[in-house]
Amino acid sequence: MKSVSPTLLLFLLLFAVRAAAAEWQAMKPEDFAALPAVQERVDFGDFDTDLMAAAIFHATNRVRGQLGLAPFAHLPALDRAATQKATIGILQGKLTHENPLPLTATPADRVRASGVDYRAVAENIAQQSLLDLPPGVTEVGVRLRGGHNEFYRVDNKQPVQLQSYAAFADKVVRAWMNSPGHRANLVNPEFTSLGCAARPIRSPVARHEQVYAVQVFCTPR
């Protein structure tokens, strides 16, 4: 029996992981939410971008369902457009929908570059903290522990952990729903397809773990 080369084995493993990731958006929301990895706290050093994108996708459709709106269809090409924005966005250092790069300067450009012929396009972006803080608590301190910075609540001095994938996705979608312009995109019945992306970023100001999240909405022709 011939042995499998390490290179081929790695390729097959990566293919299997990608295939599994592509199936997450096709799952029923309750089945996706039941996955142990979705409820685990984020390991910032091993951030799963595909899992977070899927969590944001399902959190968005849960809100749509609560409002009696049809769920978005998953369009992988829109994930690519969202990923372009997230990658460029963390380098720009500010929340803006435009950039100086040719062919990918606007949301419409990025969707077009991903191969989608569309009638309407919109984009939501956000940069949110991953710290797991209860409602109303915003102040955190930082102290050195074990050679690393540790964030803690100022009110009780307890360490602050990172959120789970599911909790962060719910939080960022709530933030968009509380912003009139972002909400208008999210609940617009004209949009039928959605792609999402998420990239980890350590804030140079607050010095703690954050996520740059993107939604791309589209009505294909």
Side-chain angles (χ1 to χ4, degrees):
M1 180 178 179
K2 293 183 178 180
S3 62
V4 179
S5 71
T7 301
L8 179 58
L9 186 61
L10 178 60
F11 172 80
L12 293 173
L13 179 60
L14 289 174
F15 179 81
V17 170
R18 283 293 176 181
E23 294 300 317
W24 282 330
Q25 283 88 344
M27 296 177 71
K28 294 180 179 179
E30 59 272 20
D31 292 338
F32 176 79
L35 295 175
V38 179
Q39 302 300 331
E40 289 179 358
R41 294 186 182 274
V42 174
D43 178 351
F44 198 72
D46 190 25
F47 187 93
D48 193 326
T49 57
D50 291 326
L51 185 63
M52 185 63 86
I56 294 172
F57 177 85
H58 283 294
T60 303
N61 271 342
R62 278 196 298 274
V63 170
R64 294 270 291 193
Q66 292 164 3
L67 297 174
L69 297 169
F72 287 116
H74 177 235
L75 192 58
L78 297 182
D79 288 344
R80 295 195 293 272
T83 298
Q84 282 185 343
K85 173 56 198 168
T87 303
I88 295 170
I90 61 176
L91 296 176
Q92 286 182 286
K94 59 181 179 179
L95 290 174
T96 175
H97 293 282
E98 298 184 354
N99 66 71
L101 300 179
L103 305 180
T104 62
T106 68
D109 289 337
R110 291 187 283 276
V111 170
R112 191 180 303 111
S114 297
V116 178
D117 186 15
Y118 61 87
R119 288 195 292 109
V121 167
E123 181 182 79
N124 283 349
I125 56 178
Q127 186 171 321
Q128 295 272 340
S129 171
L130 261 171
L131 297 182
D132 187 4
L133 295 170
V137 176
T138 58
E139 290 190 62
V140 295
V142 60
R143 60 196 174 198
L144 192 64
R145 177 165 292 182
H148 301 281
N149 285 339
E150 178 186 75
F151 288 90
Y152 64 92
R153 288 175 52 174
V154 173
D155 58 344
N156 61 13
K157 309 303 181 186
Q158 293 299 309
V160 179
Q161 295 182 295
L162 298 186
Q163 293 175 302
S164 68
Y165 287 88
F168 177 84
D170 288 341
K171 183 182 78 168
V172 74
V173 171
R174 282 198 307 272
W176 281 321
M177 287 295 289
N178 289 330
S179 168
H182 297 95
R183 178 190 174 94
N185 292 332
L186 203 150
V187 303
N188 189 341
E190 181 182 0
F191 294 128
T192 60
S193 301
L194 175 67
C196 301
R199 288 292 182 271
I201 176 173
R202 194 180 300 276
S203 168
V205 178
R207 294 183 297 161
H208 69 261
E209 294 85 346
Q210 299 184 332
V211 174
Y212 195 106
V214 182
Q215 293 172 311
V216 176
F217 309 90
C218 178
T219 306
R221 291 189 186 278

